């Protein structure tokens, strides 16, 4: 593993551009500003004026509460970070510059790309749970499934989806609503290619999720790939058995952002190394769902952002021994819409700088930033 050199460019006031205003982008901007204090001028670019906390999206259809939002410009100004409401269009790496969709050209000494992934429906004519727009008509879907011949609702994790936790939260919240509506005939089944429930989190967490599913009488079909044939039928692979359900809700599939000027894999994801440097581009880094890491999760995105920030700060002469990105999965599985029943889940190495606040997404800098924002608006 190649270690970065220290002070390998003129560093005072180096311009660091962060493209993207989601979890990875805000974490990266805050981390660089702290770790490279006095050595970097940080600017965050985002086409949206607000930071939207999407990990809480599963509960929105059940509570009618909008997603948590915070205005980026005033919050970042408090951390001495500039904000520009712009969308990055292209990276001109040979010129150390980017262009924006509105036609501006901005130079950089370091660039961190946190654009995120593109989200698509996994199946035609199937209800999809969208984290960006969680307006799923849950009552209507449950009542429709209850009236169907099978009396069954299917929740599907498409084969290519690497982070399945939202489907389990959705199952728990739907089962709670089933009881509330008195739909005793209705059954819920999860279909997933995972060998066990949330198996990516390890045996202990998987066993706990299986126990919770059993308590709520939610069936699960593991090691099942749900595919769609040319007629639109959903089939359970490898057997080719038709999916027997009155209503199907699926998670979306994702592809990479495919940003002009940035190398990508065949699915459009940005290829990064252990310090989140973009393959073949010396001063360009990337973090978050748009990278080629197999699992897409907010906590992992923030850890990538920290790895990139530490590496940049070291190159700017800060007395930092940068840590490579080594994924640590952690968070909370909410078993009801109000957050009253939550299970802490996660595994990983012992971290040198763990987050100070535990929440739905735990991040070294973003957690405190969000905590301060919530205190200002009186939100729990």
């Amino acid at each position: 593993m190649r270690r970065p050199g220290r002070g390998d460019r003129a560093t005072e006031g180096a311009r660091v551009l962060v493209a993207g205003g989601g979890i990875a982008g805000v974490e990266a901007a805050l981390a660089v500003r702290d770790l490279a204090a006095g050595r970097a001028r940080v600017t965050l670019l985002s086409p949206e004026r607000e930071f939207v906390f999407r990990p809480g999206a599963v509960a929105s259809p059940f509570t009618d509460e909008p997603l948590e939002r915070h205005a980026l410009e005033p919050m970042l100004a408090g951390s001495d970070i500039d904000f520009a409401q712009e969308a990055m269009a292209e990276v001109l790496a040979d010129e150390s510059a980017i262009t924006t969709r509105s036609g501006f050209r901005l130079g950089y000494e370091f660039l961190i790309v946190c654009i995120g992934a593109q989200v698509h429906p996994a199946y035609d004519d199937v209800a999809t749970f969208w984290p960006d727009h969680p307006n799923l008509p849950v009552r209507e879907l449950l009542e429709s499934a209850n009236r169907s011949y099978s009396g069954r609702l299917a929740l599907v994790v498409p084969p290519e989806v690497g982070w399945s936790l939202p489907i389990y939260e959705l199952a728990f919240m739907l089962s709670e609503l089933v009881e509330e509506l008195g739909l005793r005939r209705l059954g819920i089944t999860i279909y997933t290619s995972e060998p066990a429930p949330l198996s990516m989190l390890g045996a202990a967490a998987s066993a706990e999720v299986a126990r919770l599913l059993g308590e709520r009488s939610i069936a699960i079909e593991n090691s099942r790939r749900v595919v769609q044939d040319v007629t639109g039928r959903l089939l359970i692979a490898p057997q080719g058995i038709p999916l027997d359900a009155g209503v199907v809700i699926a998670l979306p599939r994702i592809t990479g952002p495919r940003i002009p000027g940035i190398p990508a894999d065949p699915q459009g994801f940005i290829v990064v190394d252990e310090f989140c440097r973009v393959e073949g581009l010396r001063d360009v880094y990337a973090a978050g769902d748009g990278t080629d890491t197999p699992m897409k999760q907010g906590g992992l995105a923030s850890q990538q952002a920290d790895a990139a920030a530490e590496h940049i700060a070291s190159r700017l002469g800060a007395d930092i021994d940068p840590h490579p990105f080594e994924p640590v999965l952690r968070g909370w599985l909410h078993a009801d819409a109000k957050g009253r029943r939550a299970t802490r889940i996660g595994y990983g190495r012992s971290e040198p700088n763990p987050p100070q606040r535990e929440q739905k997404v735990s991040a070294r800098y973003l957690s405190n930033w969000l905590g301060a924002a919530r205190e200002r608006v009186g939100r729990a």
Side-chain angles (χ1 to χ4, degrees):
M1 179 174 63
R2 181 171 70 83
R3 295 181 63 80
R6 297 195 183 279
D8 57 350
R9 67 167 56 228
T11 61
E12 191 65 27
R15 183 159 195 190
V16 179
L17 290 183
V18 179
I23 288 174
V26 174
E27 176 74 10
L30 293 169
V32 171
R33 185 67 188 88
D34 179 68
L35 298 171
R39 295 178 169 86
R41 295 174 293 121
V42 183
T43 300
L44 185 141
L45 285 73
S46 172
E48 307 297 334
R49 298 186 65 88
E50 295 177 312
F51 170 86
V52 182
F53 190 67
R54 292 185 175 88
V58 177
S60 291
F62 301 89
T63 62
D64 294 325
E65 294 181 3
L67 289 177
E68 180 182 350
R69 297 172 180 270
H70 300 283
L72 281 166
E73 187 166 17
M75 286 296 295
L76 292 172
S79 301
D80 198 21
I81 295 169
D82 294 327
F83 172 72
Q85 191 177 1
E86 294 284 345
M88 187 176 71
E90 183 177 4
V91 175
L92 309 172
D94 291 342
E95 304 171 36
S96 295
I98 68 165
T99 60
T100 69
R101 291 180 189 168
S102 56
F104 288 100
R105 176 189 173 98
L106 299 171
Y108 65 81
E109 290 184 77
F110 294 99
L111 170 66
I112 310 178
V113 180
C114 305
I115 297 298
Q118 299 185 58
V119 185
H120 316 270
Y123 310 102
D124 295 331
D125 301 319
V126 168
T128 301
F129 173 74
W130 301 99
D132 287 349
H133 306 287
N135 54 353
L136 202 66
V138 289
R139 288 176 179 264
E140 292 87 340
L141 291 170
L142 287 177
E143 289 167 352
S144 178
N146 190 59
R147 291 192 302 269
S148 69
Y149 176 78
S150 67
R152 185 151 295 276
L153 172 72
L155 300 175
V156 176
V157 181
E160 62 271 28
V161 171
W163 181 243
S164 60
L165 183 141
I167 211 75
Y168 293 92
E169 291 190 323
L170 191 59
F172 291 129
M173 294 179 195
L174 285 168
S175 71
E176 186 176 56
L177 187 54
V178 165
E179 292 181 11
E180 179 185 320
L181 296 175
L183 305 177
R184 295 180 177 85
R185 175 175 178 266
L186 180 59
I188 299 174
T189 302
I190 297 172
Y191 293 87
T192 175
S193 59
E194 303 162 284
L198 287 178
S199 55
M200 80 284 287
L201 294 169
S206 182
E208 174 62 13
V209 175
R211 184 188 67 79
L212 292 171
L213 292 172
E215 282 184 358
R216 305 296 285 273
S217 299
I218 298 169
I220 184 163
E221 293 282 344
N222 292 113
S223 301
R224 298 288 188 266
R225 295 175 60 251
V226 176
V227 298
Q228 193 166 41
D229 67 13
V230 293
T231 69
R233 291 189 310 164
L234 296 179
L235 305 175
I236 303 171
Q239 299 92 340
I241 303 170
L243 186 66
D244 184 22
V247 170
V248 178
I249 303 173
L251 294 181
R253 66 181 182 88
I254 62 173
T255 58
R258 296 189 185 278
I259 302 167
I262 296 186
D265 68 11
Q267 287 73 46
F269 292 104
I270 304 168
V271 181
V272 296
D273 69 6
E274 70 272 23
F275 290 104
C276 297
R277 294 170 293 193
V278 174
E279 183 180 70
L281 303 182
R282 175 175 169 77
D283 300 324
V284 181
Y285 297 71
D289 290 357
T291 67
D292 64 340
T293 52
M295 204 172 299
K296 315 300 181 183
Q297 190 249 6
L300 299 184
S302 71
Q303 292 165 38
Q304 284 187 305
D306 292 341
E310 287 185 5
H311 197 270
I312 289 171
S314 176
R315 291 180 63 187
L316 290 174
D319 186 17
I320 291 174
D321 184 17
H323 298 89
F325 170 62
E326 296 178 10
V328 179
L329 275 171
R330 56 171 179 256
W332 293 89
L333 173 69
H334 286 178
D336 68 284
K338 296 295 185 182
R340 294 164 300 192
R341 294 194 296 273
T343 300
R344 189 182 188 278
I345 55 175
Y347 78 91
R349 59 182 168 81
S350 176
E351 295 176 89
N353 296 293
Q356 294 180 356
R357 297 186 187 220
E358 283 283 0
Q359 49 185 291
K360 184 66 175 168
V361 171
S362 295
R364 194 191 311 176
Y365 294 92
L366 178 68
S367 294
N368 291 331
W369 186 81
L370 274 177
R374 288 163 176 162
E375 287 171 7
R376 271 193 285 273
V377 299
R379 182 167 185 159

